[in-house]
Amino acid sequence: MAPARNHRALILLLLLLLLLAFATPALAQCESDTVDRKCHDKEKSLKLKIIAICSILFASAVGVCLPLLSRLVPVLHPNGNLFLLVKAFASGVILATGYMHVLPDSFNDLTSPCLPENPWKKFPFTTFVAMLSAVVTLMVDSLAMSWYKKRVRGDKVLTVRSDRVEKQSGDMENFGHDQSNKGHWESEQESESLMRHRVTAQVLELGIVVHSVVIGLAMGASDNFCTIRPLIAALCFHQLFEGMGLGGCILQSEYKLKMKATMVFLFASTTPFGIALGIALSNVYSETSPTALIVVGILNACSAGLLNYMALVDLLASDFMGPKLQGSMKLQMRAYVAVLLGAGGMSLMAKWA
């Protein structure tokens, strides 16, 4: 329960930071002389935003729920090859989201001409924050596993090991006890793997939620219908396959129904919620105000570092270094193709989103 409470507290903190950024007075904004006013119409934009809320909510819900329903379809069982390939594709989407969408957005924000040259153009804040975010994600990953081993396993591991040493010096009558200890040890290994899947799912969702709220707010506050129209299709594609990646992690975490429903709801609703909040704040929000640029830029950099770490280490490396892919070169090459297709498709979306 503690990780779940921390998860919600971090999301609330994120929303407070964004409200601070978007409640910036209009006098602090920095307007560009190159804005094309032909594409700015609040009434047309509002209609498109309402369409975006509905379509993105539907795409997000479908994407994150598909893996959770895969147990009902034998060919999509979590232990099957097809599920592994779909997960590899979705991991490629998440990887490209970090590198091709979130990181460039942070660069644009933190190097904007609306910010003072010193210090924002004197130091690469985007890559520095992304690097720190990746290290902090590693720390969370590592400390969560250490806490689990200390609090849950504790002396059980030492007991199992000492019993196994004693049994080695015994006779054949202890064979049954050795088999029992072996089963207990395997159970401990499975429990540790389950804990790792749960940490991965929660940390990954946190990174996705940060990015989703930020991009939703930006869309909701914009009145540029020329930008919003293609962005709707791009975000639907993005949320669908990113949801599949997260849904696969939630499935492997084997949470109870209540926790699964909470994580599905958070993922599916954050972008539509961000759009609705952006619409509500559109009169006081300026995407070119220094405060908004700094807060959004730093949050995007944090999200990029987190997503890149999770995609490479906890999703791709975990699967590709696992026994299933290591035992089949043919399956491994298919998984690489799936990763490249997912990353390539999401990279192509960077042209519109």
Side-chain angles (χ1 to χ4, degrees):
M1 291 299 292
R5 286 196 296 269
N6 293 338
H7 193 67
R8 289 192 288 269
L10 286 170
I11 292 173
L12 288 174
L13 178 61
L14 162 69
L15 292 176
L16 288 174
L17 285 172
L18 290 171
L19 285 172
L20 171 66
F22 300 149
T24 308
L27 292 175
Q29 66 186 13
C30 166
E31 295 291 349
S32 173
D33 295 331
T34 60
V35 174
D36 183 7
R37 289 295 166 188
K38 292 180 181 179
C39 286
H40 289 257
D41 187 312
K42 287 191 175 182
E43 189 175 341
K44 284 185 179 180
S45 298
L46 183 58
K47 292 178 181 178
L48 288 173
K49 290 171 193 176
I50 294 172
I51 293 172
I53 289 174
C54 298
S55 56
I56 292 172
L57 179 63
F58 177 76
S60 301
V62 169
V64 74
C65 287
L66 274 177
L68 301 179
L69 300 174
S70 63
R71 291 186 187 275
L72 304 176
V73 183
V75 73
L76 290 175
H77 193 274
N79 294 328
N81 292 345
L82 183 58
F83 181 85
L84 194 65
L85 294 177
V86 171
K87 187 182 174 187
F89 179 88
S91 299
V93 170
I94 293 172
L95 183 65
T97 298
Y99 278 111
M100 298 299 296
H101 293 257
V102 190
L103 205 59
D105 285 348
S106 179
F107 272 115
N108 291 337
D109 291 335
L110 297 182
T111 59
S112 170
C114 298
L115 293 179
E117 185 172 348
N118 190 18
W120 301 104
K121 294 180 179 64
K122 300 289 186 181
F123 185 79
F125 282 98
T126 292
T127 46
F128 178 70
V129 174
M131 176 187 69
L132 290 181
S133 175
V135 173
V136 170
T137 306
L138 171 63
M139 288 173 59
V140 171
D141 227 354
S142 175
L143 291 174
M145 291 305 299
S146 297
W147 176 86
Y148 169 76
K149 290 176 182 177
K150 182 178 180 181
R151 295 292 299 273
V152 180
R153 293 178 66 187
D155 295 332
K156 291 182 180 179
V157 176
L158 295 176
T159 302
V160 171
R161 285 177 177 171
S162 62
D163 286 347
R164 294 180 77 181
V165 171
E166 290 175 6
K167 301 304 178 187
Q168 286 177 359
S169 60
D171 52 26
M172 289 301 294
E173 69 180 10
N174 292 321
F175 178 75
H177 295 292
D178 285 337
Q179 292 296 100
S180 176
N181 285 337
K182 182 179 179 182
H184 181 73
W185 181 257
E186 289 175 352
S187 176
E188 290 287 346
Q189 293 290 88
E190 290 175 3
S191 183
E192 182 177 329
S193 175
L194 178 62
M195 178 61 184
R196 182 160 186 81
H197 284 312
R198 291 184 173 182
V199 171
T200 299
Q202 293 208 11
V203 176
L204 177 61
E205 179 159 41
L206 178 62
I208 292 173
V209 163
V210 171
H211 172 56
S212 296
V213 172
V214 168
I215 197 169
L217 276 163
M219 177 188 278
S222 173
D223 61 353
N224 188 334
F225 62 85
C226 296
T227 302
I228 294 173
R229 191 179 290 116
L231 194 58
I232 294 173
L235 284 178
C236 285
F237 175 89
H238 171 271
Q239 292 295 105
L240 177 67
F241 290 104
E242 195 171 56
M244 290 175 68
L246 177 62
C249 293
I250 296 173
L251 178 65
Q252 291 178 315
S253 300
E254 297 183 10
Y255 282 118
K256 292 182 179 179
L257 181 61
K258 184 179 178 181
M259 188 61 178
K260 285 181 180 178
T262 301
M263 296 185 76
V264 167
F265 174 78
L266 273 176
F267 172 77
S269 63
T270 44
T271 303
F273 172 76
I275 296 172
L277 190 59
I279 293 171
L281 296 173
S282 58
N283 290 329
V284 294
Y285 165 66
S286 170
E287 63 183 10
T288 56
S289 70
T291 306
L293 287 168
I294 292 169
V295 173
V296 172
I298 289 175
L299 285 175
N300 274 331
C302 289
S303 180
L306 189 155
L307 290 175
N308 293 340
Y309 171 88
M310 296 300 292
L312 288 169
V313 178
D314 282 338
L315 296 178
L316 292 174
S318 177
D319 285 341
F320 278 92
M321 297 302 174
K324 193 172 185 66
L325 285 179
Q326 286 294 309
S328 172
M329 287 292 293
K330 186 177 180 180
L331 182 61
Q332 193 173 151
M333 294 310 297
R334 288 178 178 174
Y336 277 122
V337 171
V339 172
L340 292 174
L341 285 174
M346 200 63 220
S347 298
L348 186 61
M349 290 294 107
K351 181 178 180 182
W352 298 282

